[in-house]
Amino acid sequence: MFEKVLIANRGEIALRIQRACREMGIRTVAVHSTADETAMHVRLADESICIGPPAAKDSYLSVPAILTAAAISNADAIHPGYGFLSENASFATMVEEHGFTFIGPKPEHISLMGDKIAAKQAVKEAGIPVVPGSDGAVDDIDVALKVASGIGYPVLVKATAGGGGRGMKLANSADELPDAIKMAQKEAEAAFGNGEVYFEKYLTKPRHIEIQILADGFGNVVHLGERDCSLQRRHQKLLEEAPSPALNEDTRQKIGAIAAEAVKKIGYRSAGTIEFLYEDGEFYFIEMNTRLQVEHPITEMITGLDIVREMVRIAAGAPLGYEQDDVRFSGHAIECRINAEHPGTFMPSPGTIGDYHAPGGLGVRVDSAIYSGYVVPPHYDSMIAKLIVHGANRNECLMRLRRSLAEYVIDGIETSIPLHQKLMSEVDFVNGDYDIHWLEKFVGLDD
Ligand code: MV4
């Protein structure tokens, strides 16, 4: 096992990884920008190293700064967390070339899933259902028009190098398709330096359901069930739940087994997530995330597994040590993302935290790195806490969530807590009756 792990991240996820390492007897190295000198992830680490100025590109995204920090601290391995360098294949390659272990997938799988056309082709061959579409890059408008008319409109044009909703264009009919393709190509070229695009049939009212998988280096793969991440605004998730209110046990086992089998065929290793759109009882692959995800705790709450510990064990060469039948699902979990932002306008609200009191009690977990007196810097993501609640069933989970939100005190800045409280009394939400567009209608402000 590793003796020392460098955590190339900040905030709650840096603490989350530290906690797993500490339980495993592994020392931790924090890295931080000058804006994060007083951050909790720095205070709680065994060692810390300043890696640059506030701008992420000069600190948390600086490969040389992080590799130097790993060398100086004599770390054995690097955990990238989520965001930042977590899905950067060349970073993962360089980590290994410099003699450290990358706690994550093989670089080839990060690359594969970063190329959305190649990813779709690979998972399709491995037995995962995909959305009907151009089956590869669009290079001829006339061919595209023929294929699209066969599929039926609307179609959604996506960038091969995109993902997470960036660079998509909708075409409602044949006369809109040429412009949608040209605009998507232009925007993709500007944003990613790669203008390649493909298109798919547009699903109008799907849910976003993702399957968590764990795979070791010996071909053992398990799925840990699904998370329903449909409640989002502008591709920013607000609340996630597991299991999905839309699936029954049979459907869950079927799609879980398909996802796990595909991951095994591809030879993937580490934690990973297969994202699907789910509409009219059918699953359609959209992307695979080759990282630890923000919402991983809800899966931990219903399975009792520590996903970060599993990632570390797998990276150290350990076998999973359990099979699919050993994974037991219990109860229901919901995560509320608490952002430092105005609950009505979503404008960021950085600043100093005044009084702080986190909820607790049975079934309540708070993953956060904030404290009373902490100054939320303006330079990074606005998520400052995750409130994760577990209950024997969805109803108990909702009751517990309502009382936890009422207990939560974060003074001095605006947060999304009032928005979550409003959500808790919405009939559609309470009934689990929502799709990926529901939240945007609920909060209004659509553009
Ligand atoms: C789609 C889609 C409808 N049909 N693909 C957005 C992010 C990227 N991961 C894929 N996305 C979508 N792909 C087809 N064929 C609708 C979306 C989409 C979406 C997906 C998941 C969660 C939120 C979303 C919000 C808007 C659009």
Side-chain angles (χ1 to χ4, degrees), residues 233-235 440-441 443-447:
R233 175 183 173 270
R234 298 185 178 179
H235 306 294
E440 288 175 349
K441 285 179 215 146
V443 300
L445 303 168
D446 285 53
D447 52 10

Side-chain angles (χ1 to χ4, degrees), residues 37-106:
E37 262 153 17
T38 60
M40 198 51 99
H41 81 277
V42 175
R43 289 163 62 163
L44 294 184
D46 294 306
E47 295 169 50
S48 66
I49 299 178
C50 182
I51 51 166
K57 68 172 187 350
D58 302 318
S59 49
Y60 298 105
L61 287 170
S62 168
V63 174
I66 288 164
L67 292 177
T68 305
I72 289 170
S73 58
N74 199 26
D76 304 305
I78 299 180
H79 196 306
Y82 53 66
F84 296 128
L85 296 167
S86 61
E87 291 178 289
N88 184 317
S90 73
F91 174 64
T93 302
M94 286 175 81
V95 165
E96 299 276 339
E97 280 174 359
H98 284 76
F100 311 109
T101 300
F102 181 75
I103 302 176
K106 296 170 207 157

Side-chain angles (χ1 to χ4, degrees), residues 116 120 131-132 154-156 158 162-166 168 170 198-209 229-237 275-277 279 284-287 289 435-437 440:
K116 304 304 164 187
K120 192 174 171 182
V131 196
V155 301
L156 190 61
K158 300 181 173 188
R166 296 173 308 161
M168 305 195 307
L170 189 64
Y198 64 108
F199 66 82
E200 292 179 342
K201 175 149 191 77
Y202 178 67
L203 304 173
T204 54
K205 47 177 178 40
R207 299 179 77 114
H208 179 192
I209 295 178
C229 305
S230 301
L231 289 175
Q232 60 83 39
R233 175 183 173 270
R234 298 185 178 179
H235 306 294
Q236 294 295 316
K237 295 168 187 166
E275 292 189 352
F276 293 94
L277 297 178
E279 189 174 83
Y284 304 90
F285 170 85
I286 41 171
E287 289 174 24
N289 299 321
D435 63 24
I436 61 169
H437 304 296
E440 288 175 349

